[in-house]
Amino acid sequence: MPDCIFCKIVAGQIPAKLVYQDEQVLAFHDISPGAPVHVLIVPRRHIESLAALTEEDAAVMGHLLAAAEPVAQLAGVAASGYRVVFNVGRDAGIAVYHLHAHLLGGRKLSWPPG
Ligand code: AMP
Ligand code: ZN
């Protein structure tokens, strides 16, 4: 996807503060953190949104979710706790159309979220 900012991060064309990477996913610090720890986990392959998932994406999505705990360990919040969120659509404030999980922690997180 030529104009996708997260594809550019995956390709190394835009810098990011990497936390974790493997053959299928990349995790990097959010540029505008909403909590002391705010990491984005993205598939290397461009998938537009949670709303665009197909059966073909099942393996990479399972892998992405399984990466959350090692990412949380690397970010130092595995013991204290963290939240993993996917935004979909306008009411959730979606801004980037390359699927990403937000991993948030480092403070008490309110529930329900705002
Ligand atoms: P969403 O609202 O779920 O689409 O979230 C997109 C997130 O991407 C926001 O939290 C932004 O702060 C973050 N973001 C946008 N551009 C960058 C970037 N170049 N590096 C890191 N995070 C970014
Ligand atoms: Zn992309």
Side-chain angles (χ1 to χ4, degrees):
M1 286 288 147
D3 275 333
C4 172
I5 192 155
F6 290 173
C7 279
K8 287 181 178 166
I9 288 175
V10 167
Q13 293 163 356
I14 292 180
K17 288 201 279 178
L18 289 189
V19 176
Y20 172 87
Q21 61 178 317
D22 62 30
E23 71 286 353
Q24 294 195 68
V25 303
L26 204 69
F28 50 91
H29 289 283
D30 195 292
I31 205 166
S32 178
V37 169
H38 187 171
V39 177
L40 303 175
I41 313 174
V42 311
R44 287 184 180 273
R45 177 165 61 81
H46 183 91
I47 300 172
E48 195 147 302
S49 152
L50 204 65
L53 284 182
T54 70
E55 278 301 319
E56 286 175 17
D57 304 318
V60 69
M61 286 306 292
H63 189 85
L64 188 154
L65 290 172
E69 173 66 14
V71 167
Q73 284 175 9
L74 289 166
V77 293
S80 50
Y82 58 92
R83 181 172 295 160
V84 178
V85 179
F86 293 89
N87 289 324
V88 179
R90 190 186 58 222
D91 278 356
I94 193 78
V96 177
Y97 287 88
H98 179 129
L99 189 146
H100 50 281
H102 296 257
L103 189 150
L104 298 146
R107 65 167 165 79
K108 182 90 179 139
L109 300 165
S110 59
W111 189 263

